[in-house]
Amino acid sequence: MERINWISDIIVVVSPENIETMKTIIEKYGHKRVTVVKGGITRHRSIFNGLKVFAEDEFSCHLLQKPEVVIIHDAVRPFVEEDIVSKVVMAAKEHGAAGAIRPLVSTVIASAADGCLDHSLERARYRASEMPQAFLFDIIYEAYQQCTDYDLDYGTECLHLALKYCKTNAKLVEGTADLWKVTYKRDLYAAESIIKDNLSQQVCVITNVKETLGQVGFLLPESLKSQIKVEAISISLSKNDSRLQNIISEQCYNFVCINDKRCAIQETQELVDMLEKSNIPLLYPVVLILVHLDSSENNSFSIGMEDLTTIKKFARETKKKNILVYGLLIQHKDPLLLQETVNSAAALIMALIKDRSPELIGQLLVA
């Protein structure tokens, strides 16, 4: 929610034993506008504690300004987009309450006391209630104040409380497929895959090579364009380039540096410093691929053991900053095989970007 700048305050409700851990995370990642509140033993009691921050002194060191609208969301739905948040907020302003819904994917049935089928619901008439939900603050706070202990201990639906105690019929807003919950262990793998896919949508290709090798610097971005959005710039990393700064500020998480020098670690360090200063690597790992062009006629590599050791050491240091550095050698010897070699290099680059494997950092791959 912090990435949505029109949200003024973010209340994170956490179980008592995890409060210090949450505060450490907030400090580590530089989150602002965040207040940590001790949760209750049930969902509704935790939400009520969060709402009290705006109304009761005992739940915060200082009262936060009461909002017109409050958004309630589950941390287990990490992929919510700003568009659906905005829609439920606007609907709540008009109707007093609103919530995201999705079609049911399975039929809901009720079992009898003997374990046999009692009845089933007509799936087309029902929807799955999702998050986020939004309410006029006065409505949802009043509803929670009137709740019985049974509501607080066994209830799960906030929209129902607004209807039951404040006669507020919530507007139901059709949600998107990314509102699913991370509930089981298998969902963690799906969530990781989604994050990696989201981070693999754009790459910045930085070229700093001699004119004689410029063809590779042109062909490689062109080969990548069929698989990923490419921002290609030709600069020296030792210069503070505004285009590169803009690309970083637009949350690019993948960089390819093409160089014909034996080991351009010093220049690459300039990019690492820029990335670290931008705080981009705080949340997600940045992939940085050092592409070396080898045009020597002999069969030996132009990169020696000393260079390989330097790259590995550099990669280990940058990994501490959540920047994953890989090496890629493109052997530019036979002009007839150049396009095939470039396509092979592009395939390796895409594999590194999509997999983001920390185990491969500092390794030199050969195309």
Side-chain angles (χ1 to χ4, degrees):
M1 289 298 182
E2 193 177 39
R3 56 192 158 89
I4 304 177
N5 57 22
W6 46 265
I7 293 178
S8 59
D9 294 289
I10 301 167
I11 313 302
V12 180
V13 185
V14 185
S15 58
E17 64 271 19
N18 289 317
I19 284 180
E20 291 307 314
T21 300
M22 180 56 66
K23 288 181 177 178
T24 300
I25 292 171
I26 290 169
E27 182 179 358
K28 177 181 178 181
Y29 293 105
H31 293 307
K32 310 296 182 184
R33 300 176 284 156
V34 179
T35 300
V36 179
V37 174
K38 182 172 72 173
I41 60 174
T42 65
R43 170 187 172 82
H44 275 327
R45 290 189 184 276
S46 292
I47 293 172
F48 196 12
N49 285 356
L51 294 172
K52 288 175 181 177
V53 171
F54 299 103
E56 301 179 24
D57 287 320
E58 63 179 291
F59 281 86
S60 180
C61 57
H62 63 279
L63 278 178
L64 298 177
Q65 182 177 351
K66 188 180 77 170
E68 177 188 5
V69 174
V70 62
I71 304 161
I72 298 174
H73 189 64
D74 288 335
V76 292
R77 291 183 173 89
F79 302 113
V80 61
E81 293 293 338
E82 181 176 355
D83 181 61
I84 187 64
V85 177
S86 177
K87 285 179 179 178
V88 296
V89 167
M90 297 306 294
K93 283 186 175 183
E94 181 179 352
H95 298 274
I101 57 169
R102 290 286 296 160
L104 288 175
V105 294
S106 299
T107 299
V108 179
I109 62 174
S111 61
D114 60 359
C116 296
L117 176 66
D118 183 77
H119 66 276
S120 66
L121 300 180
E122 185 183 342
R123 190 166 66 182
R125 292 185 56 203
Y126 295 87
R127 294 291 183 271
S129 178
E130 307 284 359
M131 291 291 176
Q133 295 177 351
F135 305 84
L136 293 178
F137 178 82
D138 290 338
I139 286 177
I140 192 62
Y141 189 63
E142 180 185 342
Y144 271 101
Q145 284 181 308
Q146 296 184 54
C147 276
T148 64
D149 284 338
Y150 186 88
D151 291 323
L152 293 174
D153 290 337
Y154 298 103
T156 59
E157 181 53 72
C158 304
L159 299 178
H160 175 69
L161 296 183
L163 176 62
K164 180 178 180 180
Y165 292 110
C166 298
K167 310 302 181 190
T168 300
N169 283 307
K171 179 67 174 178
L172 305 181
V173 179
E174 196 68 37
T176 52
D178 53 19
L179 296 180
W180 59 281
K181 293 174 66 175
V182 179
T183 305
Y184 303 105
K185 186 175 181 179
R186 64 175 181 269
D187 297 330
L188 292 174
Y189 299 115
E192 182 182 22
S193 178
I194 290 172
I195 291 171
K196 285 183 176 180
D197 185 62
N198 290 340
L199 297 177
S200 304
Q201 301 301 310
Q202 179 183 10
V203 63
C204 175
V205 180
I206 303 168
T207 308
N208 182 25
V209 297
K210 298 174 183 176
E211 289 186 10
T212 53
L213 297 176
Q215 190 177 8
V216 176
F218 170 77
L219 290 176
L220 185 56
E222 290 300 311
S223 182
L224 286 167
K225 282 180 181 178
S226 63
Q227 306 172 72
I228 190 173
K229 179 183 176 182
V230 177
E231 294 286 350
I233 54 178
S234 181
I235 60 166
S236 170
L237 286 173
S238 60
K239 298 178 181 178
N240 194 357
D241 187 86
S242 60
R243 291 171 298 169
L244 181 55
Q245 291 281 7
N246 290 337
I247 291 170
I248 292 174
S249 67
E250 292 170 359
Q251 307 270 300
C252 181
Y253 283 90
N254 308 290
F255 295 84
V256 175
C257 299
I258 306 174
N259 210 303
D260 55 4
K261 296 179 182 178
R262 281 185 57 197
C263 192
I265 297 299
Q266 187 173 353
E267 283 197 8
T268 308
Q269 183 64 52
E270 299 281 344
L271 176 57
V272 170
D273 292 342
M274 292 171 66
L275 289 167
E276 187 178 16
K277 187 177 180 181
S278 72
N279 290 330
I280 291 293
L282 277 178
L283 289 179
Y284 302 113
V286 172
V287 166
L288 175 52
I289 302 172
L290 309 182
V291 177
H292 175 73
L293 303 182
D294 179 14
S295 59
S296 59
E297 295 297 329
N298 55 46
N299 292 324
S300 61
F301 287 162
S302 60
I303 294 182
M305 286 302 299
E306 184 179 346
D307 297 325
L308 292 175
T309 302
T310 301
I311 292 173
K312 282 189 174 183
K313 183 179 179 181
F314 179 68
R316 285 196 295 267
E317 289 301 312
T318 57
K319 183 175 181 288
K320 298 174 184 176
K321 303 171 183 178
N322 211 20
I323 299 174
L324 308 179
V325 173
Y326 310 97
L328 177 60
L329 180 66
I330 298 180
Q331 295 182 297
H332 177 228
K333 297 178 181 181
D334 188 344
L336 297 178
L337 298 176
L338 179 58
Q339 185 63 63
E340 182 180 338
T341 302
V342 168
N343 290 343
S344 175
L348 288 171
I349 288 171
M350 288 305 304
L352 291 171
I353 287 175
K354 289 181 176 180
D355 193 45
R356 313 184 95 77
S357 172
E359 286 76 22
L360 287 176
I361 63 161
Q363 301 299 311
L364 180 67
L365 306 178
V366 181

